Amino acid sequence: MALLGPVTHAQVSFLIGFITIVVAWIYSEYSAFKKKSISSKVRHTDVGLGEVESYNVKEDDRGVLLEGNVIKFTPSGPTISSIFSIIIRFIMLDESFLIKHRLLLRAASEFGLLLTYFYICDRTDILGTSKKSYNRDLFYFLLLLLIIVSTVTSFKIHLDKSPFSVKPIMFLNRHQTEEWKGWMQVIFLMYHYFAAREIYNAGRVCVASYIWMTGFGNFSYYYARKDFSFSRFAQMMWRLNFLVFMCCIVLENSYMLYYICPLHTFFSLVVYGVVGILNKYNESKAVIGVKFFLCFLVVIIVWEIPGVFEVIWEPFTFLLGYKDPNRLKENLPLMYEWHFRTGLDRYIWILGMVYAYYYSTFEKWIEKLDELKSKRRILIKTTIVVISSTAIYLWFEYVFKMESITYNKYHPYTSWIPITAYICIRNVTQSTRSYTLTLFGWIGKISLDTYISQFHIWLRSNAPDAQPKLLLIIIPDYPLLNFMLTTFIFMLISYRISELTNTFKMAFVPSKDNKQIMYNMITAATMMV
């Protein structure tokens, strides 16, 4: 086996940590099995039962990590000494400690194994590579086939069930937004796999829709729940960055290679600040109006006035700087990629917040519309569809069809048109907003994991920080069979990584326990060092 690049200190550290965790997990499983066997023999012989029961009570009292994968410390609360005690007990392979941690150790071992597979696929010559090729007929055939299969197998009507009645679910419900993310992710992934350059502009709209959802979803949560706790914030940051952080370590990549993650993180941070600052005045329309105005004003100053962006963002070059090794001859500045990506969607996240703020107003208006008499209701809804369809048509003809470089100049100011028109048409009737294809909804739930995983176990870059210009080959000379197999493995691993990320989040970032999270952060930092 040949490695496609030098081995780094971070990779060696990961390997040592992975081996240590696997050994600890195997020992914990063996110890648990041995303990269970002894307990079983004792129950059958009734010998020494008192001692066994006493032992079990003591072990329960000393619990640190329950098998539900939630970190628990002693009733007196976490302390620095308890943190170092955990580390020492882990290093010394304390039997009772490892037994109580074995489910988390099992999850960590599986996650480490999956990251090892990432490395094998993208940084070794064990598996083959091939160049991407685009065939329009094949591309649309596969896309339509997926839609047909999804329609036949996963079509579902969602209803809002209450104790007194069953009514159609409201517009922009969670099922619908998850399906929406799934549709976009499929287009995004197929665009990358087949190098379908002709749908580049569609990909830009998909990214804008994701950013719009960031503004809409986060504003809706903070404004309605008024939950600005550190635990909620930390859980969100964990979900967005845990996997990408580990990939950067194992594969020696820059954070900006996975640009969707820093984009979502940045806009989530901004929305958190916008709603959180002076949040006790959020009920005032004037205050919210001023906040929205200031958001537009700041964006205009930073992104529209030449030179301001560079001055403000230069201190963050160490984190957001990126240079594609395949484009070194272009002599682009390190912050070019961040400037380009944030600039494309600099306004749409604000519109997401605006739509979220007026959501309750739209909801009441739709309820009244649905209660109107048939003729008037049909007339109004037909008008909505006609106006939305006309807007999409004009945008498609005069903006979307532009060459990609020209289109990018208009995208920040026009991406709201297809998004708004889609929302209107998708939610125009009770039926249309209640129907979803759950297969696309499932894909939408793991969209972040599929986005990151595609770089290494579906596509290939073969070098640190390189864009994935190649395809991973497991079955040589059979491109469609290879596509089927790699896609199956890719989706399966993405789903498992999503589950494992959530498991680690529950363990290390518990809800409503800020002090616990801080101690967990200290523990993690200590172990990493």
Side-chain angles (χ1 to χ4, degrees), residues 225-241:
R225 300 283 184 89
K226 298 178 175 58
D227 178 9
F228 302 98
S229 63
F230 177 70
S231 60
R232 160 67 184 177
F233 175 78
Q235 286 184 337
M236 177 177 62
M237 291 296 105
W238 179 282
R239 181 70 183 99
L240 287 174
N241 292 288

Side-chain angles (χ1 to χ4, degrees), residues 324-527:
D324 186 348
N326 297 318
R327 301 177 66 182
L328 293 177
K329 294 181 180 179
E330 298 181 28
N331 198 29
L332 298 172
L334 286 175
M335 294 297 283
Y336 169 82
E337 189 75 7
W338 180 242
H339 192 180
F340 173 68
R341 299 296 179 184
T342 53
L344 284 173
D345 301 305
R346 56 186 179 267
Y347 293 111
I348 198 64
W349 63 278
I350 307 176
L351 292 179
M353 293 196 300
V354 173
Y355 288 20
Y357 179 69
Y358 288 103
Y359 179 89
S360 59
T361 304
F362 294 151
E363 187 177 47
K364 292 176 183 177
W365 183 81
I366 287 176
E367 287 178 352
K368 291 181 179 179
L369 178 61
D370 289 336
E371 293 172 357
L372 293 177
K373 293 182 179 180
S374 178
K375 289 185 179 180
R376 190 178 179 188
R377 184 178 68 250
I378 292 173
L379 176 62
I380 294 175
K381 291 186 176 182
T382 301
T383 303
I384 293 173
V385 172
V386 170
I387 293 175
S388 300
S389 300
T390 303
I392 285 183
Y393 173 76
L394 294 175
W395 168 81
F396 180 82
E397 284 291 325
Y398 297 102
V399 180
F400 184 78
K401 285 186 175 181
M402 292 179 177
E403 192 271 335
S404 60
I405 296 178
T406 305
Y407 171 80
N408 284 338
K409 297 177 181 178
Y410 291 89
H411 175 80
Y413 314 103
T414 60
S415 60
W416 65 273
I417 297 174
I419 293 173
T420 305
Y422 170 79
I423 293 172
C424 292
I425 295 174
R426 183 69 171 84
N427 294 274
V428 71
T429 68
Q430 293 180 348
S431 298
T432 55
R433 60 179 174 263
S434 299
Y435 300 158
T436 65
L437 302 180
T438 55
L439 176 59
F440 284 93
W442 177 78
I443 296 173
K445 291 178 181 178
I446 59 171
S447 57
L448 180 65
D449 311 279
T450 53
Y451 169 76
I452 297 172
S453 299
Q454 65 166 320
F455 281 70
H456 310 295
I457 60 174
W458 203 45
L459 312 173
R460 287 191 66 161
S461 58
N462 285 359
D465 280 345
Q467 294 292 329
K469 300 293 186 181
L470 303 171
L471 303 178
L472 176 69
I473 299 298
I474 298 178
I475 307 177
D477 303 322
Y478 292 91
L480 291 181
L481 287 178
N482 181 76
F483 172 74
M484 180 182 68
L485 179 59
T486 55
T487 301
F488 171 76
I489 296 173
F490 159 60
M491 295 304 295
L492 178 63
I493 288 179
S494 297
Y495 171 74
R496 282 303 303 153
I497 286 178
S498 176
E499 293 288 303
L500 293 170
T501 301
N502 189 55
T503 297
F504 297 140
K505 182 186 73 175
M506 292 167 59
F508 298 113
V509 195
S511 300
K512 300 179 181 179
D513 195 343
N514 297 342
K515 188 175 182 180
Q516 183 65 76
I517 295 173
M518 292 302 298
Y519 278 99
N520 289 348
M521 291 173 62
I522 296 172
T523 304
T526 304
M527 295 189 71

Side-chain angles (χ1 to χ4, degrees), residues 114-233:
L114 294 178
L115 288 180
T116 302
Y117 180 71
F118 277 41
Y119 184 86
I120 290 172
C121 289
D122 200 33
R123 294 290 193 272
T124 72
D125 63 352
I126 294 178
L127 300 175
T129 59
S130 71
K131 294 183 178 180
K132 298 179 182 181
S133 63
Y134 177 63
N135 181 293
R136 181 183 294 174
D137 181 48
L138 177 62
F139 180 87
Y140 287 106
F141 167 77
L142 291 174
L143 182 59
L144 290 174
L145 180 62
L146 177 62
I147 294 172
I148 292 171
V149 170
S150 179
T151 303
V152 172
T153 61
S154 68
F155 180 83
K156 187 175 181 179
I157 302 175
H158 301 277
L159 297 175
D160 184 11
K161 297 180 180 180
S162 66
F164 306 103
S165 63
V166 177
K167 60 181 180 179
I169 201 164
M170 288 309 297
F171 82 108
L172 276 179
N173 55 80
R174 187 172 185 84
H175 303 290
Q176 184 185 134
T177 54
E178 294 290 2
E179 182 206 53
W180 186 3
K181 286 193 287 186
W183 281 101
M184 295 187 297
Q185 189 65 7
V186 166
I187 294 173
F188 206 53
L189 292 172
M190 292 188 68
Y191 162 74
H192 280 167
Y193 191 90
F194 293 99
R197 186 67 186 178
E198 69 177 9
I199 66 165
Y200 171 87
N201 295 352
R204 298 277 62 80
V205 176
C206 289
V207 175
S209 299
Y210 277 119
I211 303 302
W212 180 90
M213 287 185 184
T214 297
F216 180 85
N218 283 291
F219 185 95
S220 298
Y221 179 87
Y222 294 126
Y223 185 76
R225 300 283 184 89
K226 298 178 175 58
D227 178 9
F228 302 98
S229 63
F230 177 70
S231 60
R232 160 67 184 177
F233 175 78

